[in-house]
Amino acid sequence: MATLADIGVAAAINILSAFAFLLAFAILRLQPINDRVYFPKWYLKGVRSSPTHSGAFVQKFVNLEWRSYLRFLGWMPAALKMPEPELIDHAGLDSAVYLRIYLIGLKIFVPIAILAFAVLVPVNWTNSTLENLKVVYSDIDKLSISNIPKGSQRFWAHLVMAYVFSFWTCYVLLKEYGIIASMRLHFLASEKRRPDQFTVLVRNVPPDPDESISELVEHFFLVNHRDHYLTHQVVYNANKLAKLVEEKKNMQNWLDYYQLKYDRNPSKRPTRKTGFLGLCGKKVDAIEFYTSEIERLSKEEATEREKVKKNPKSVMPVAFVSFRTRWGAAVCAQTQQTRNPTLWLTKWAPEPRDVYWKNLPIPFVSLTVRRLIIAVAFFFLTFFFMIPIAFVQSLANIEGIEKAVPFLKHIIEVHIIKSFIQGFLPGIALKIFLIFLPTILMLMSKFEGFISLSALERRSASKYYLFLLVNVFLGSIIAGTAFEQLDTFIHQSATEIPKTIGVSIPMKATFFITYIMVDGWAGIAGEILRLKPLIIYHLKNFFLVKTEKDREEAMDPGSVDFGSSEPQIQLYFLLGLVYAVVTPFLLPFIIIFFGLAYVVFRHQIINVYNQEYESGAAFWPDVHGRIITALIISQLLLLGLLSTKHASQSTPLLIALPILTIWFHRFCKNRYEPAFVIYPLQEAMMKDTVEQAREPNLDLKAYLLNAYIHPVFKDGEDDDNFSIGEEQEYDNTLVPTKRQSRRNTPAHSKCDGSSSPPQL
């Protein structure tokens, strides 16, 4: 097993890796040629100019000011200087609250670590239990609860600390939930006017034999929301058109590349092959090839655009409905519209940047089936991933490898190689397995039919967290324990196996320490280096960029990847809470991760990431719920562990902890979660009143008219064709309709959504 020296070697390797990344970043960020890679947000805001536009030729590419290199760590205090209110104005509430997740980790684990090292480590260390047991153990295990003899009165210390740690965690979560709920309400009250504040998404609009979808929507809301309805925008199934537009854009990029290549060397015409990915087939002139492809796609695009305009079947039973006031939108979004709860379904519309247009045409009735399919697929994905996880865990055991390949024993026993295998290789191997997982989970979430980018990321994050919980955490403990204790299990009776597992659970702390160092320390340092975006930007800048707009697209970093980064943070919460009582030696590694990650991501959010949408921290209830889940898991695992230790007096008292934690979660859910899912009518009315007093002549309809038009139609020519025409003023009691049963009807018609229309 790994010794403290082995952990020290692994820590040194990861510290050196992290330092190398940070040093490389400190040098690369100072070079003028890289300025757009490490400070793209300021360029996109238009407040920073390129240093390559002035100065001597060499100074356009290399920073020759030697004094700046002496301050290579100056970015750290600079990242911490910006106050939180200014950070919210600069990057949005989503980004500011995302950073608070790291702060919560520090608030929870720094006091817990101090208490654990002051109380539990001395209690664990001053025993010799593991020396008398026939199990494999390490020096780190001697600092854990495994070193306490069965039936010892010392377990009272662990019991008391379990209560203290749980109450402290709940206290921090309670305070943070209240603070973030207040931040959200203040943000919504003070933010500038946005289209989603006035707009509701309506789905499952029932068909009508006499009226089109657009006419039906207008009629329904003029009748049922006569004083507040303003305008609406129906949704078109433009997925095929969007695909053609994207394909044409890609072809244009290739044409630009070959045109630039030809301009630099006019003596030779560039060529390419017509087969798969340009690797096979007939060799043709590249410029002529892409020019002809663009002409072909332009014709197909024009045909498809006309088809979408004229074909009624292109109009989906979905619409964005806008209101004269925020109050009117809030009433509509948060109430049931008809007797039939499956028709005329309303919810707050995502802001225009947040809409995932590809999923809007998905029939509402198919969403349940899609989500069932994905649930089954996710179960099998999670289950079959246990196989490589088990293999990775076998690498953490030197003795197991030596038994499998005895001829490598002399090589493996070399101190440096042994330390590398146990302290670095398992963590990096597991990290490689997980690289492609977020992409797979995002594709699964898209198939489920969510209609906003924020909802897709939250759903993907939930799947990723479950996956990490089952495979990385539980899988590492169970599979790792089975490999390490296989010989012992064979020679034990069945009744002794649960006790052996209970003793062995703390022994996986060594693996998780290495995982934290590889995934956490070196991973965070790699995040700030931005090696992949650096390479991609320079390739695009050299081969594709012709205009400033092209350069902006090349350097656009996108948003923080919430779908993959937040679940990884939650894994560290889980590890910290589980091992706080069991093996406190792991806590300093967790604290270093949260501290480093907070500084790095604060720098990235200030200087790099350009948030694509703003949800007002709508993800916070999920974050809170996952930390609570981690806390309950830690309590149950400790309960199971102590049950194997014959601590009959203290163990039953732990039963109350999960119950109290669940009650606390329900209290927080009832007290604070409504602020994240419901917009108070009082707040809506106050904001409407203030805006009306400040801008009495505001033309709100002109502001909202084209806010929710599909991006492929926003080319200047199609805006009018795909938006609603002039607003008509109707009598307060009579609303015109094309239905044959009534020409003017203030009352409910047979197709008003309370029942299905008759089949003709």
Side-chain angles (χ1 to χ4, degrees), residues 349-371:
E351 67 157 313
R353 297 177 301 168
D354 193 18
V355 178
Y356 187 66
W357 294 94
K358 288 184 179 179
N359 280 356
L360 281 174
I362 296 177
F364 185 81
V365 293
S366 70
L367 295 180
T368 303
V369 177
R370 284 170 168 262
R371 289 169 190 176

Side-chain angles (χ1 to χ4, degrees), residues 651-714:
T651 303
L653 297 177
L654 278 174
I655 298 176
L657 261 185
I659 298 174
L660 291 174
T661 305
I662 293 172
W663 174 85
F664 168 77
H665 176 58
R666 293 183 63 85
F667 169 79
C668 290
K669 188 178 180 68
N670 293 331
R671 173 64 182 84
Y672 295 114
E673 190 171 320
F676 294 86
V677 294
I678 297 174
Y679 188 41
L681 295 181
Q682 182 185 31
E683 297 286 332
M685 181 60 75
M686 289 171 57
K687 198 164 180 63
D688 286 333
T689 303
V690 171
E691 185 173 81
Q692 188 173 8
R694 290 178 177 175
E695 301 179 73
N697 299 321
L698 173 67
D699 187 357
L700 187 60
K701 184 175 183 182
Y703 172 74
L704 296 172
L705 192 61
N706 298 327
Y708 285 96
I709 290 180
H710 196 292
V712 298
F713 301 133
K714 288 188 175 182

Side-chain angles (χ1 to χ4, degrees), residues 377-505:
F378 179 68
F379 171 80
F380 282 104
L381 174 66
T382 305
F383 178 78
F384 283 110
F385 207 84
M386 288 290 291
I387 298 173
I389 291 290
F391 172 74
V392 168
Q393 291 308 307
S394 69
L395 295 177
N397 189 338
I398 290 292
E399 291 78 8
I401 296 176
E402 290 178 348
K403 289 179 182 179
V405 283
F407 57 88
L408 295 178
K409 182 175 181 179
H410 296 294
I411 299 176
I412 293 173
E413 286 297 330
V414 176
H415 182 70
I416 296 178
I417 297 177
K418 182 178 180 179
S419 300
F420 176 80
I421 292 175
Q422 290 191 315
F424 189 77
L425 187 59
I428 196 67
L430 184 58
K431 182 68 176 176
I432 292 172
F433 274 123
L434 297 175
I435 285 177
F436 300 104
L437 183 64
T439 302
I440 296 172
L441 297 180
M442 178 57 75
L443 290 174
M444 296 173 74
S445 298
K446 289 178 178 178
F447 181 81
E448 287 182 288
F450 293 96
I451 52 88
S452 67
L453 297 175
S454 56
L456 285 171
E457 291 204 330
R458 291 198 298 271
R459 185 68 170 185
S460 181
S462 297
K463 292 187 182 72
Y464 197 16
Y465 177 71
L466 287 174
F467 186 92
L468 293 177
L469 173 63
V470 173
N471 282 290
V472 177
F473 181 69
L474 296 179
S476 295
I477 290 177
I478 297 171
T481 297
F483 273 86
E484 290 180 357
Q485 306 298 336
L486 182 59
D487 184 65
T488 307
F489 290 165
I490 292 175
H491 297 90
Q492 278 185 338
S493 64
T495 57
E496 292 295 315
I497 291 178
K499 298 179 182 179
T500 304
I501 294 177
V503 172
S504 301
I505 285 176

Side-chain angles (χ1 to χ4, degrees), residues 84 96-97 99-105 107-108 168-184 573 620 623-624 627 664 668 672 676:
E84 190 172 63
V97 171
L99 288 174
R100 291 191 73 93
I101 303 176
Y102 295 105
L103 273 182
I104 289 175
K107 289 179 181 179
I108 290 176
W168 172 250
T169 302
C170 290
Y171 173 77
V172 172
L173 289 176
L174 179 66
K175 288 292 184 180
E176 286 296 320
Y177 216 151
I179 291 172
I180 293 171
S182 298
M183 289 172 62
R184 173 178 166 85
F573 275 104
W620 185 254
V623 174
H624 175 88
I627 298 177
F664 168 77
C668 290
Y672 295 114
F676 294 86

Side-chain angles (χ1 to χ4, degrees), residues 518-537:
V518 172
D519 183 72
W521 299 4
I524 291 298
E527 156 68 29
I528 201 168
L529 181 59
R530 289 178 55 78
L531 186 58
K532 180 181 175 182
L534 177 69
I535 295 172
I536 292 176
Y537 168 74

Side-chain angles (χ1 to χ4, degrees), residues 134-146:
K134 296 180 180 180
V135 295
V136 182
Y137 72 95
S138 69
D139 293 340
I140 294 175
D141 297 324
K142 294 178 68 175
L143 300 173
S144 73
I145 198 173
S146 297

